[in-house]
Amino acid sequence: SSGINAEYGKLKLGQDDEEPEFNDGTWFAMLFACGVGVGLFFFGVAEPIWHYTGGNRYSADKYMPDNELAQQAMNITFFHWGIHGWIVYVLVGMILAFMTFRKGMPMTMKSCFYPLIGDRIYGWIGDLVDIFSILTTLFGVCTSLGLGTMQVNRGLNYINEDIEMSVRNQVIIIWAITAVATISVITGVGMGIRRLSEFCFGIGMVIMTMVFFLDDSWYMLNLYCQSIGYYFQYIIQLGFHCDAFELSTA
């Protein structure tokens, strides 16, 4: 088992004689910006507040101390955006990259199913997989785009009250974002997507640094350290929790 893990752990996702096209920092910036950037900036604030103030199994316990309720809210947020969430991204990305760059197959989701169903991916089954993956990706992107648009609109309104919170302004923002995204795609991964991702990631780091130093830095360090401890303590329990008792009495 250890020999197999060591063998595949050193396997390149490209050909054996190929070198990485980008450095680790650029790859991380593109993964972050194209994967969880908008969602994390929105839900990174909204989700723990919602778990803290909204109705859930923790707030239903009237004897739970307020500090413990706040910690549970952070713990659930870490669970949603931690290892369990990234496993899905990494698993799909690795399989797709392996089948595309090592096996020379089309970069579509149906290629991931070749080891299971073989050449049948080139028939209606493969087409159905691609259609389903395109639709689910579309719904996910639209959700993130919509939430990000409202957040941008609210930020602009906060800076300048003449910019109203309205559907018209949000449509303008969507068109602007779509135009920038289209240009980045047309110019390719090496230029548009890469530079835009690095720029967005850099801006995000600047915002995070400002919040860290302009707020109570010691408190945030304590909270982060404490939340990491809670997360790893309850990670197995959270991963298997299905609300069994809550659903049986609903």
Side-chain angles (χ1 to χ4, degrees):
S1 175
S2 60
I4 295 175
N5 292 335
E7 176 187 354
Y8 285 100
K10 298 179 181 178
L11 185 67
K12 286 186 177 181
L13 294 179
Q15 298 300 320
D16 292 330
D17 58 345
E18 291 180 335
E19 295 297 326
E21 186 175 356
F22 308 107
N23 58 49
D24 292 343
T26 297
W27 274 118
F28 185 81
M30 289 193 290
L31 286 171
F32 185 88
C34 298
V36 299
V38 174
L40 190 58
F41 268 84
F42 181 87
F43 284 108
V45 177
E47 185 168 344
I49 292 177
W50 188 84
H51 291 310
Y52 177 63
T53 61
N56 52 60
R57 63 178 180 271
Y58 300 112
S59 60
D61 183 1
K62 61 182 180 180
Y63 298 106
M64 177 175 287
D66 186 72
N67 289 348
E68 181 67 20
L69 180 59
Q71 185 61 69
Q72 293 295 347
M74 292 297 299
N75 202 30
I76 299 174
T77 304
F78 270 60
F79 166 65
H80 288 160
W81 294 93
I83 295 174
H84 286 79
W86 276 101
I87 285 175
V88 179
Y89 289 113
V90 172
L91 184 62
V92 174
M94 288 183 63
I95 296 174
L96 189 58
F98 180 82
M99 299 307 296
T100 299
F101 298 113
R102 293 286 298 190
K103 301 300 182 181
M105 303 190 70
M107 187 176 282
T108 59
M109 288 303 299
K110 66 183 179 184
S111 298
C112 299
F113 290 84
Y114 185 82
L116 297 177
I117 60 177
D119 290 335
R120 281 182 290 179
I121 66 169
Y122 298 111
W124 68 270
I125 298 178
D127 294 337
L128 188 63
V129 169
D130 282 343
I131 292 171
F132 183 74
S133 64
I134 290 172
L135 290 177
T136 52
T137 302
L138 176 65
F139 294 148
V141 170
C142 288
T143 301
S144 297
L145 179 60
L147 293 172
T149 298
M150 290 188 294
Q151 191 174 20
V152 171
N153 194 180
R154 175 62 68 184
L156 293 173
N157 174 257
Y158 184 81
I159 296 173
N160 185 353
E161 294 183 355
D162 292 334
I163 303 177
E164 301 177 350
M165 282 290 298
S166 65
V167 174
R168 182 177 67 87
N169 287 336
Q170 291 169 10
V171 170
I172 294 174
I173 294 171
I174 290 175
W175 274 109
I177 295 174
T178 303
V180 173
T182 302
I183 294 173
S184 71
V185 171
I186 293 175
T187 53
V189 175
M191 175 55 74
I193 295 178
R194 174 187 181 180
R195 298 306 181 190
L196 184 61
S197 298
E198 290 174 341
F199 175 77
C200 291
F201 185 78
I203 293 296
M205 292 300 98
V206 170
I207 295 174
M208 185 183 73
T209 303
M210 290 175 59
V211 171
F212 177 75
F213 284 107
L214 294 177
D215 206 323
D216 189 345
S217 303
W218 187 249
Y219 162 74
M220 284 189 284
L221 287 174
N222 282 335
L223 177 60
Y224 186 72
C225 179
Q226 179 174 302
S227 298
I228 289 292
Y230 268 77
Y231 173 59
F232 282 109
Q233 180 181 356
Y234 292 103
I235 187 171
I236 297 178
Q237 176 185 342
L238 286 170
F240 283 89
H241 192 90
C242 301
D243 278 336
F245 295 111
E246 290 84 351
L247 291 175
S248 65
T249 58

